Amino acid sequence: MGRERTALLTATSVACAVFISAGSVAANQLEASLGGKIAFGALYNDGANGGESGPEFLRDGEFFFKAKGQLDNGLQIEGRVELEGFTATDQIDENWVRLRSDFGEVLIGGDDTAADKHREGWFGPPEKIIGYFNSDISDFEPSTEGDDISVRYTTPRIRGFQAAVSYGIDGTDGGGDAGRVTEAAGPDDIISVGASYRGEFGPVAMRIGGGYVTVEGDPFSTWTIGGEFYVADVGPGELGLAVHYDDNGSDGEDAIITGGLQYEFGPWTVAGGTTRELSTGTGNQTYAAWVSYALAPGVTAVFGYEGNNIEDPGIDSFDNIVGAYIDLQF
């Protein structure tokens, strides 16, 4: 890990030097803004696997504090801090500063790994309250996720291709007003790479991507690959197909595969899919279907169902759940 760490930090230093070499000052004062998202509604579960049967009320959301500006040399600077809209263990979510130019972008702070930024291959309704993969209810989620403090470089997208590399530490807050993060005892170095392609061939548009994550001290590595394909002018709308494979490296014991379909026409979206664990001796599976309707720009109503067929008694999850909610994006 020592050589890899040194190489990444050296590359990051060179990239930053290239980005700011002109040394210009900001042409104007940085602009601050507030954004966010809020979801509210109700769910009902059937009380399977020892859970309580009955209704559940939903209120979820985040507020985004943002600042952005541009130097005279064209270098763009942007910062973002996300605050949960309710009391949570991670009250401050993603938080970072990003420099962007024709050479790509460098981001420093708490954000996704390079692999996670380039994962493709599944559909989900706004806010993913329900869904067949990476929903708030399902036990299946990407193994490349994580908002550890890191530095990430992303290339420009050239002829549809883009790549990224990130280095982070699973550390602890250093304390004080500086907000420093120091390495914790045990596994800490997190190295990730990711790449994706976006293109169109006649009526078919595609998004293909994947990545790799390795953590110091962990004998296994994680990798993902997936794709989304959209066919225009199918009846009055557009048909989408998504496939995704995720392997957390545990000798294939926790690999999963997902597949989904989506059809969009006007303000309506009808979609669904399934995720299945490929582990030996288990057949854990999640499946979901939903309908969404865009009431106005940034306002979407969702009604859907998620089912979890859990054969492993160690997983606590509801077998069936239905819900309706409204998602606000601002």
Side-chain angles (χ1 to χ4, degrees):
M1 281 292 182
R3 291 182 178 179
E4 293 173 330
R5 177 192 305 187
T6 301
L8 281 170
L9 293 179
T10 300
T12 300
S13 299
V14 172
C16 287
V18 170
F19 270 64
I20 63 177
S21 58
S24 297
V25 296
N28 297 291
Q29 178 73 27
L30 295 181
E31 296 182 358
S33 61
L34 176 66
K37 55 186 180 180
I38 298 175
F40 60 95
L43 308 172
Y44 183 88
N45 69 70
D46 64 4
N49 293 312
E52 287 291 331
S53 176
E56 300 175 356
F57 295 104
L58 168 68
R59 54 92 178 100
D60 191 8
E62 291 180 320
F63 293 91
F64 308 149
F65 299 91
K66 301 177 287 186
K68 64 187 305 183
Q70 183 169 309
L71 304 187
D72 287 334
N73 64 357
L75 178 66
Q76 299 175 21
I77 299 179
E78 182 179 2
R80 176 170 173 140
V81 176
E82 299 183 1
L83 174 67
E84 297 288 353
F86 56 93
T87 302
T89 55
D90 60 339
Q91 198 67 58
I92 298 295
D93 194 7
E94 296 180 352
N95 53 95
W96 45 260
V97 174
R98 177 168 60 196
L99 306 176
R100 178 182 292 168
S101 76
D102 293 339
F103 298 98
E105 66 177 44
V106 172
L107 180 147
I108 298 177
D111 195 29
D112 303 316
T113 64
D116 201 57
K117 275 297 184 182
H118 290 271
R119 55 182 167 86
E120 304 283 358
W122 74 88
F123 302 124
E127 284 309 285
K128 301 175 295 187
I129 305 299
I130 60 172
Y132 61 91
F133 185 58
N134 199 30
S135 75
D136 287 352
I137 301 167
S138 172
D139 288 287
F140 294 119
E141 60 184 19
S143 55
T144 55
E145 284 189 325
D147 292 332
D148 298 291
I149 301 300
S150 64
V151 56
R152 186 180 74 230
Y153 169 70
T154 304
T155 70
R157 191 169 290 278
I158 301 174
R159 296 185 179 276
F161 290 95
Q162 187 176 54
V165 59
S166 64
Y167 166 73
I169 56 174
D170 183 12
T172 56
D173 191 341
D177 295 331
R180 295 177 296 111
V181 173
T182 58
E183 294 189 29
D188 46 42
D189 286 350
I190 305 170
I191 296 177
S192 175
V193 295
S196 61
Y197 171 78
R198 298 179 182 179
E200 296 184 7
F201 299 89
V204 180
M206 63 177 61
R207 301 162 61 105
I208 301 173
Y212 172 86
V213 179
T214 182
V215 180
E216 179 187 9
D218 190 332
F220 305 111
S221 300
T222 292
W223 64 276
T224 65
I225 187 169
E228 299 165 24
F229 307 88
Y230 302 89
V231 183
D233 301 324
V234 179
E238 178 182 78
L239 177 67
L241 168 67
V243 179
H244 179 82
Y245 178 84
D246 188 306
D247 190 336
N248 76 356
S250 299
D251 292 336
E253 289 299 313
D254 292 311
I256 60 93
I257 188 167
T258 81
L261 289 172
Q262 174 178 280
Y263 188 66
E264 294 182 288
F265 54 104
W268 293 92
T269 299
V270 180
T274 184
T275 297
R276 185 173 182 83
E277 188 175 11
L278 303 179
S279 305
T280 303
T282 65
N284 300 335
Q285 188 171 13
T286 292
Y287 36 91
W290 62 90
V291 176
S292 65
Y293 181 80
L295 298 169
V299 183
T300 306
V302 180
F303 175 78
Y305 163 80
E306 177 176 325
N308 291 283
N309 180 23
I310 305 301
E311 297 183 6
D312 182 353
I315 297 179
D316 183 17
S317 180
F318 296 111
D319 278 349
N320 297 284
I321 189 163
V322 295
Y325 62 94
I326 293 179
D327 178 68
L328 310 178
Q329 304 275 343
F330 57 92

